[in-house]
Amino acid sequence: MRIDKLVLDNFKSFATRTEIDLGDPEPNDSRNVILIGGMNGSGKTSVIEAINACLYGADADFVFARINRRNLKQGRGDVELGLDITLDNNAKLTIRRRWSPSDPRSRDPRDLNQELRIAIDGKLVIGPGGDADWSELVDLIIPKGVSQFFFFDGEKIQELAADLDPGGRLRESMESVLGIQLYRTLATDLESLVSRMRRAGARTGTAQVLEAQAQVQRATEDAEGLRSERKEIEEDVASLAQQKEAREAELRRSFGAGTDILSQRDDLVKQRSQLDAELTAINETVSEGAKRALPFVGLQGQLVALREQMHGERSLSEWQAAVRAGSERVQAIAERILNPTTPCCDRVPDSAMKDAFAKRLANALEEEIARKPEGLPDVALLGLSGDQQASLEAQIEELLTKATGEVRLLLERRSKTLTALRAAELQLQRLAVSEAGERQLNSLLQDITNINQNLGRKREQLREIELRLEEADRALRDAQKRLRTAEEELVVARDTQQRIDLAERTRKAVLEFVDTMRHSRAATLQEKCLEMYRRLSSRGETIREIKIDPDTYYVTLIGTRGEEIPKSELAAGEKEIYAISLLWALAQTAQRKLPIVIDTPLARLDSLHRDNIVQKYLPTAGHQVIVLSTDTEVDTEYYQMLEPSIAKAVHLVFDKTLDRTVVNTGYFWKD
């Protein structure tokens, strides 16, 4: 991994957008040093702060405190930091972080909103439209716990020489650098996985399957028992049906009727009884009606004679009226017949002839008209008018109808009832049997009745069995479903157990590997640390051994006589040399190709140690070493010593006129 470019905008003395080109067009391990020179206040420390903030983010208070004061007063509160990085696989990683206030006039850090954009080979992976997780990605590139060993301030690294490690953070960071923390995380993840799989697989075991099998067995036995019982009842029903059919066949052979013979006889007896009662009632009604009509029956002849007398007198009156009308028309008829000629001789008669003929015709007509029809009375005795006759005739008809009509209807009804009664008696006589036949009939009918009752009970039992069998089949299906689920879960549980066993074996192997790796890396680390310490320290010969505890990573310095040398007794420069040696050893042991950024590496060192750092440490510290130095640290002499390893030099200059830092190519005195 190499840092190609650093972008700072409105960050401390970098008031405007500034790009620091740190890339080497032709990377070469022999020219690995990027030298950034600058006087105090020119922005060297800002470079390390910007790199860390860009990689890992920063809280609003940190960013707000580093906004360029002049820009902030003018209302500009947005900050941008960026890195262009070439990864080990030559992919180009672009990181841009921007902090912008919701209100440009605000002076509250909480109003700053952060925006992150990450692109790989020009393709946006984080930001609008991106869905990657930067925390996971940056952990793959350079975990935060590692950065303190690669991006550090020379004046602050002496903290590594302290024996205190609150919370074990230094141990975790060192293990992260050495690659051990990754395996510890793997072991922890495997332990969590085993715990989750145990909880998931604990739901079902062999016992649950056996219980489910027992439930299926019980449900199967219940269902089969009910089916057997149903079969027995069905056989009983079939047998009873055969018995009933045999009894009914015997009944038809013996009595010519089926099981309805008894009901037929009963119905006929009831019908005969009803008809007898009805006939008695009709006779009584006829007797009462006859008594009421008796007076009219005695007068019936007189009423009929009176009605006939009225009919004769009406006919007599009509004949007499016709005679009178005919007499009046006789003369006219005679004149019409003789005018103009006689019908017989076709000549005009004289008056004498006409009179004689008319008289003869009139006499003949009168005799004919005056001849009384037979059956007419001689005289009209009643002398009633037409209306009087009609009224009296209606009254006579009503009396005759009332006297005889009710009796006649009753007699007709009595005749019908008597006919029905005789028919019922005839049918009863046809169904009548002998005393022995009656006993046989009653026996057959009783047998059929008993069989029907048994059939009813059996069929009711059959219906109950069907309902119970339906429930039993449903219970069996449920039990079979539970068994399938239990068996499937058991398979999953067994598979889970196999995976648990594999995960536990893997975790155990990882822990064993971690333990082996810890001891191996600790041994390598202490060898490398001792190697660099002896190369850099003026007292290197006084340290016989550097021991690093593989469990705590506590570093012990052992003198030539085997005594422990407390780090607190080391001078400030020696502490820095020791810390740099430890960092170099970590970089060498970690086998991570990460850039190293060092701020003020020579500030506290004497000339001898400075010579060693410049000649022996910086050229070998890493494949890209970015050195932030003042002109009194890497001066002309040290520049000449370091020049064979310098790939690029950059000069940070604070321009008082512009009130900002500008970037020039070259070192203080060399373009």
Side-chain angles (χ1 to χ4, degrees):
M1 167 184 165
R2 293 176 181 274
I3 298 176
D4 297 325
K5 185 187 340 182
L6 174 64
V7 178
L8 308 96
D9 187 10
N10 200 22
F11 189 78
K12 298 178 75 172
S13 63
F14 296 91
T16 60
R17 181 182 176 83
T18 304
E19 296 184 358
I20 303 176
D21 186 1
L22 303 174
D24 186 353
E26 297 180 1
N28 191 318
D29 287 342
S30 64
R31 288 184 176 274
N32 60 330
V33 176
I34 307 295
L35 186 59
I36 300 177
M39 304 300 288
N40 291 335
S42 62
K44 297 190 305 299
T45 303
S46 301
V47 170
I48 289 186
E49 291 181 343
I51 290 174
N52 278 289
C54 189
L55 282 171
Y56 308 111
D59 59 43
D61 290 329
F62 176 90
V63 176
F64 187 81
R66 286 160 177 75
I67 297 175
N68 184 272
R69 296 297 101 180
R70 182 178 180 181
N71 287 344
L72 187 62
K73 288 180 181 179
Q74 294 176 354
R76 184 187 172 201
D78 55 313
V79 176
E80 182 181 0
L81 299 175
L83 282 172
D84 288 355
I85 296 172
T86 299
L87 301 177
D88 292 342
N89 60 358
N90 291 324
K92 300 297 183 181
L93 174 67
T94 303
I95 308 171
R96 294 292 183 269
R97 287 188 189 268
R98 188 174 187 86
W99 290 265
S100 303
S102 303
D103 183 357
R105 297 169 296 179
S106 174
R107 295 298 181 266
D108 189 346
R110 292 173 298 182
D111 286 341
L112 286 176
N113 300 310
Q114 182 180 179
E115 178 185 349
L116 173 64
R117 290 174 179 263
I118 307 294
I120 297 179
D121 290 336
K123 182 180 180 181
L124 189 69
V125 294
I126 295 178
D131 57 1
D133 187 344
W134 174 241
S135 63
E136 293 182 0
L137 186 58
V138 76
D139 276 344
L140 294 175
I141 300 171
I142 177 168
K144 189 173 184 179
V146 172
S147 65
Q148 61 179 312
F149 301 116
F150 292 85
F151 311 147
F152 56 87
D153 184 337
E155 294 184 350
K156 295 181 179 179
I157 61 172
Q158 296 183 58
E159 295 176 2
L160 291 174
D163 291 334
L164 299 177
D165 181 17
R169 288 191 298 272
L170 180 60
R171 171 180 175 272
E172 291 181 1
S173 298
M174 291 181 72
E175 285 197 342
S176 180
V177 173
L178 297 173
I180 297 174
Q181 187 61 37
L182 179 63
Y183 293 99
R184 285 193 183 276
T185 302
L186 175 60
T188 301
D189 291 344
L190 285 170
E191 185 177 11
S192 299
L193 177 62
V194 167
S195 179
R196 289 197 302 272
M197 287 192 297
R198 285 190 186 280
R199 289 195 298 271
R203 292 195 299 268
T204 301
T206 305
Q208 285 81 356
V209 173
L210 292 176
E211 174 60 25
Q213 289 175 342
Q215 291 176 355
V216 170
Q217 181 64 28
R218 288 194 295 270
T220 302
E221 291 174 354
D222 291 344
E224 290 301 325
L226 288 171
R227 285 191 175 88
S228 177
E229 188 174 352
R230 181 181 65 179
K231 184 177 180 182
E232 291 178 0
I233 295 175
E234 287 175 344
E235 290 175 352
D236 291 343
V237 168
S239 176
L240 288 171
Q242 291 177 354
Q243 294 176 25
K244 178 181 177 182
E245 184 178 354
R247 296 295 190 279
E248 289 179 342
E250 184 178 355
L251 188 63
R252 285 191 294 272
R253 285 195 306 271
S254 301
F255 301 98
T259 54
D260 58 347
I261 184 172
L262 187 60
S263 60
Q264 290 180 14
R265 293 201 308 172
D266 291 343
D267 291 342
L268 288 172
V269 170
K270 292 178 181 178
Q271 183 181 357
R272 183 178 63 181
S273 177
Q274 292 173 355
L275 291 172
D276 280 338
E278 185 178 353
L279 185 59
T280 300
I282 290 173
N283 289 333
E284 291 177 355
T285 305
V286 169
S287 177
E288 291 295 328
K291 291 179 181 179
R292 290 194 302 272
L294 186 58
F296 299 102
V297 172
L299 295 175
Q300 186 174 3
Q302 287 82 353
L303 291 174
V304 171
L306 178 60
R307 184 177 59 185
E308 292 177 352
Q309 180 64 32
M310 285 191 299
H311 287 171
E313 289 188 4
R314 183 169 58 248
S315 298
L316 178 62
S317 176
E318 292 174 355
W319 173 73
Q320 290 174 345
V323 169
R324 286 194 297 274
S327 299
E328 293 174 358
R329 299 294 295 170
V330 166
Q331 188 64 36
I333 292 171
E335 290 179 356
R336 289 178 62 189
I337 291 174
L338 296 176
N339 187 30
T341 60
T342 60
C344 60
C345 54
D346 194 23
R347 66 186 177 90
V348 179
D350 54 18
S351 58
M353 184 183 294
K354 188 182 299 184
D355 290 339
F357 182 76
K359 185 175 179 180
R360 288 178 62 188
L361 180 60
N363 291 334
L365 288 174
E366 285 178 358
E367 290 177 359
E368 186 63 30
I369 292 172
R371 186 181 297 166
K372 186 176 65 172
E374 294 181 2
L376 293 182
D378 295 330
V379 294
L381 299 176
L382 299 176
L384 298 176
S385 66
D387 292 338
Q388 289 175 336
Q389 287 183 7
S391 174
L392 181 57
E393 187 175 0
Q395 292 177 13
I396 292 171
E397 188 66 29
E398 182 181 357
L399 289 174
L400 292 175
T401 301
K402 185 176 181 181
T404 60
E406 292 181 0
V407 176
R408 186 172 58 254
L409 292 175
L410 287 172
L411 291 175
E412 292 175 357
R413 182 179 170 191
R414 179 177 180 277
S415 176
K416 292 179 180 179
T417 303
L418 186 59
T419 300
L421 179 60
R422 289 173 179 170
E425 288 177 343
L426 287 174
Q427 290 181 348
L428 280 173
Q429 291 176 3
R430 182 175 58 84
L431 294 176
V433 295
S434 63
E435 183 177 351
E438 188 72 26
R439 287 194 299 270
Q440 181 186 4
L441 174 62
N442 291 334
S443 176
L444 287 172
L445 292 175
Q446 185 61 46
D447 288 347
I448 292 173
T449 300
N450 294 336
I451 291 172
N452 283 333
Q453 291 175 352
N454 289 334
L455 272 174
R457 286 193 296 269
K458 290 295 181 180
R459 285 168 177 160
E460 182 62 29
Q461 291 176 6
L462 194 59
R463 284 192 292 272
E464 293 177 358
I465 289 292
E466 291 290 352
L467 292 175
R468 290 168 57 194
L469 183 57
E470 184 178 347
E471 293 177 359
D473 285 338
R474 184 165 52 250
L476 177 58
R477 290 193 297 272
D478 292 342
Q480 290 171 337
K481 182 178 179 181
R482 288 192 296 271
L483 176 59
R484 287 194 298 271
T485 301
E487 289 174 341
E488 291 170 359
E489 290 181 353
L490 180 59
V491 171
V492 173
R494 286 174 176 170
D495 181 64
T496 301
Q497 186 59 46
Q498 292 176 355
R499 286 185 288 159
I500 288 173
D501 295 341
L502 177 60
E504 286 182 333
R505 290 196 302 271
T506 304
R507 177 176 173 273
K508 184 179 180 181
V510 169
L511 291 176
E512 291 175 354
F513 176 76
V514 166
D515 187 62
T516 302
M517 187 179 183
R518 229 179 38 244
H519 286 78
S520 174
R521 293 292 170 88
T524 303
L525 187 61
Q526 60 190 22
E527 290 175 5
K528 294 289 184 182
C529 185
L530 180 61
E531 175 188 345
M532 182 54 69
Y533 186 78
R534 285 178 174 175
R535 289 169 62 184
L536 298 180
S537 176
S538 60
R539 295 181 56 192
E541 70 281 356
T542 64
I543 303 297
R544 188 187 74 184
E545 184 181 5
I546 294 179
K547 291 184 177 181
I548 299 179
D549 189 310
D551 294 323
T552 63
Y553 295 92
Y554 181 79
V555 181
T556 304
L557 304 178
I558 305 298
T560 55
R561 295 187 300 274
E563 78 282 10
E564 181 179 346
I565 300 176
K567 301 182 193 72
S568 59
E569 295 181 3
L570 298 176
E574 287 295 325
K575 288 182 179 179
E576 184 172 342
I577 290 298
Y578 156 71
I580 289 176
S581 299
L582 182 59
L583 292 175
W584 182 83
L586 280 169
Q588 295 297 313
T589 306
Q591 300 177 351
R592 282 178 178 265
K593 295 185 67 175
L594 297 175
I596 295 177
V597 183
I598 311 173
D599 186 14
T600 61
L602 308 176
R604 294 178 177 270
L605 301 178
D606 55 30
S607 59
L608 178 60
H609 288 121
R610 286 189 176 193
D611 290 346
N612 290 337
I613 291 293
V614 171
Q615 295 181 66
K616 300 177 181 179
Y617 171 66
L618 294 179
T620 61
H623 70 290
Q624 184 185 39
V625 181
I626 300 173
V627 180
L628 301 163
S629 174
T630 65
D631 61 340
T632 60
E633 290 182 275
V634 179
D635 54 15
T636 305
E637 179 183 358
Y638 288 133
Y639 184 88
Q640 292 176 350
M641 291 181 184
L642 196 58
E643 189 171 16
S645 299
I646 295 176
K648 181 175 290 187
V650 176
H651 186 199
L652 303 179
V653 180
F654 183 77
D655 190 326
K656 294 183 179 180
T657 303
L658 300 175
D659 195 19
R660 63 183 177 85
T661 295
V662 295
V663 179
N664 296 325
T665 302
Y667 202 53
F668 287 96
W669 54 84
K670 184 175 179 64
D671 294 334

